[in-house]
Amino acid sequence: MFEDTRMKAFFDERQLRHAPKTYFRRGAAMPHQEQPQRAEILRDMLIGEGFEITKPGDHGLDPVRAVHNPGYVDFLPTAYERFVESAGTEALAIPTMHPGVRRGKEPKDIHGQLGWWMTDTSTPLTEGTWEAVYWSAQTAISAAEDVLAGARSAYALCRPPGHHAMRDCSNGFCFFNNACVVANQLTSKFGKVALIDVDVHTGNGSLDILYERGDIFFCSLHPDPTTYPTFFLGHADETGEGEGEGKSLNILLEQGASQDDVLAALDKGIGAITDFGAEALVVSLGFDMAADDPLAAVQVYPDGFAEMARRLAAMGLPTVLVQEGGYLGPSLADNAKAFITTFREATT
């Protein structure tokens, strides 16, 4: 069935160039959680476990524009340079004005544009942000192309992550929605694709992008967004519209949920994907499900991540793993090792 059962890992060192120092959370400035060191830890784990790190090819921006507003995509390459020209290098490149409800027109002033295309303070632009965002997307696209060419599975070490990025705006550490880019790429070969999000936070960007699509089933496991970030989207009654009706599934967890609770929710998601008849799978892979993650809300341990990998691999589908969250907690490398090596062993 598969031409190649070896699992490649894709990563580009330019993804480390996005280096935000601070952001505002609950009204206070604090150190930014999404640091380059996250990717370095995951990269070093991969090397230690015998993965050859494959540099992505350059596939351009058309695959990104296929899921994002082209105006948003065109805004990002020069946004930091334009901000510095206006505000200087000491200012934090975050939006300070927002249009509220989505009416009106995009302004021409950089400060107005930041508010138009960026939802919160968690995606500050830095000198290396555009390169990192671009190569994060190319990493995801290259992993998708590997699976399209016949690989059983591929792992995209994407950083910055992507699953909070909506069609026309950044959100929650994310700029381009890498997982949605991958899912859309896979539809060129597979009639039905599923995207399951096992990051602890709602895949709100993916929900936004895929909500009216009938060819991509989306499932997200996360705590109730009424009381846990990213808020707003991810409620149980949000099941899709139009051609996408019934193709979105939000499975809500209690804050503090046990590992067994998470695995039971995963089984529910796998069942729904099987009922959908998916021919290929994308996994938004977040290690912030860990009990000791700095943004922890549930209690998953390395053996739980390994079991998640076994259950997803047992679906037998061509699969792209796309890295999302998982921050600088003590067990980050152990959790990543448990999931990714288990998935590799189960699919070779």
Side-chain angles (χ1 to χ4, degrees):
M1 178 181 178
F2 298 104
E3 296 177 15
D4 188 353
T5 59
R6 295 172 300 172
M7 182 173 159
K8 289 184 180 178
F10 292 85
F11 177 67
D12 192 292
E13 297 290 330
R14 283 169 284 193
Q15 294 173 242
L16 303 176
R17 295 180 184 176
H18 174 60
K21 294 180 180 179
T22 59
Y23 73 121
F24 289 90
R25 185 179 178 204
R26 297 179 179 176
M30 60 183 61
H32 205 289
Q33 299 281 355
E34 207 288 284
Q35 289 297 309
Q37 188 183 355
R38 298 177 53 241
E40 293 172 331
I41 289 171
L42 298 177
R43 177 203 62 195
D44 293 348
M45 180 280 296
L46 292 168
I47 294 170
E49 293 303 313
F51 283 89
E52 180 180 348
I53 306 296
T54 302
K55 285 193 69 170
D58 189 345
H59 302 276
L61 288 170
D62 284 348
V64 177
R65 291 190 178 96
V67 302
H68 282 291
N69 184 318
Y72 169 60
V73 177
D74 293 341
F75 155 75
L76 284 172
T78 61
Y80 178 73
E81 179 183 350
R82 293 173 57 219
F83 178 84
V84 169
E85 288 176 358
S86 173
T89 57
E90 298 303 313
L92 185 62
I94 59 173
T96 53
M97 304 176 188
H98 294 276
V101 294
R102 203 68 175 177
R103 298 191 182 96
K105 297 179 181 179
E106 178 193 2
K108 295 181 179 180
D109 180 86
I110 182 60
H111 301 282
Q113 286 180 325
L114 289 175
W116 185 256
W117 296 120
M118 304 172 75
T119 62
D120 60 20
T121 70
S122 75
T123 54
L125 300 172
T126 71
E127 186 175 5
T129 295
W130 171 245
E131 278 190 289
V133 169
Y134 184 86
W135 288 104
S136 183
Q138 299 307 313
T139 291
I141 296 165
S142 294
E145 291 297 316
D146 194 45
V147 168
L148 286 169
R152 167 65 176 84
S153 60
Y155 170 58
L157 175 43
C158 292
R159 189 269 159 184
H163 71 143
H164 298 311
M166 301 184 201
R167 182 177 181 274
D168 57 4
C169 53
S170 66
N171 178 256
F173 306 162
C174 302
F175 295 87
F176 287 157
N177 196 308
N178 301 309
C180 284
V181 172
V182 168
N184 186 66
Q185 287 288 99
L186 293 183
T187 61
S188 66
K189 179 177 180 178
F190 303 102
K192 290 186 174 183
V193 175
L195 168 52
I196 187 166
D197 190 317
V198 297
D199 184 282
V200 76
H201 299 93
T202 309
N204 58 314
S206 302
L207 188 69
D208 174 64
I209 290 169
L210 301 176
Y211 205 62
E212 297 181 7
R213 290 191 63 158
D215 56 344
I216 302 175
F217 186 93
F218 175 66
C219 175
S220 179
L221 283 56
H222 53 263
D224 189 336
T226 61
T227 58
Y228 188 72
T230 54
F231 305 122
F232 311 125
L233 291 177
H235 301 276
D237 61 355
E238 295 166 355
T239 59
E241 292 180 352
E243 293 183 6
E245 185 175 354
K247 306 302 190 301
S248 292
L249 175 64
N250 295 294
I251 303 175
L252 304 191
L253 302 165
E254 296 289 337
Q255 291 194 50
S258 70
Q259 183 164 284
D260 287 343
D261 293 332
V262 173
L263 290 171
L266 178 66
D267 285 343
K268 183 177 179 181
I270 289 172
I273 290 169
T274 301
D275 291 343
F276 171 68
E279 301 165 15
L281 181 68
V282 182
V283 180
S284 274
L285 180 58
F287 298 120
D288 46 6
M289 283 267 191
D292 63 359
D293 189 90
L295 300 179
V298 300
Q299 302 179 55
V300 179
Y301 300 89
D303 64 313
F305 284 106
E307 183 59 25
M308 292 170 75
R310 275 188 287 270
R311 297 185 188 190
L312 289 166
M315 298 177 72
L317 298 175
T319 302
V320 181
L321 307 176
V322 179
Q323 190 60 52
E324 303 290 0
Y327 300 97
L328 295 176
S331 69
L332 176 58
D334 292 337
N335 296 326
K337 176 181 175 180
F339 188 102
I340 296 170
T341 61
T342 299
F343 197 93
R344 175 179 63 178
E345 292 163 5
T347 55
T348 57

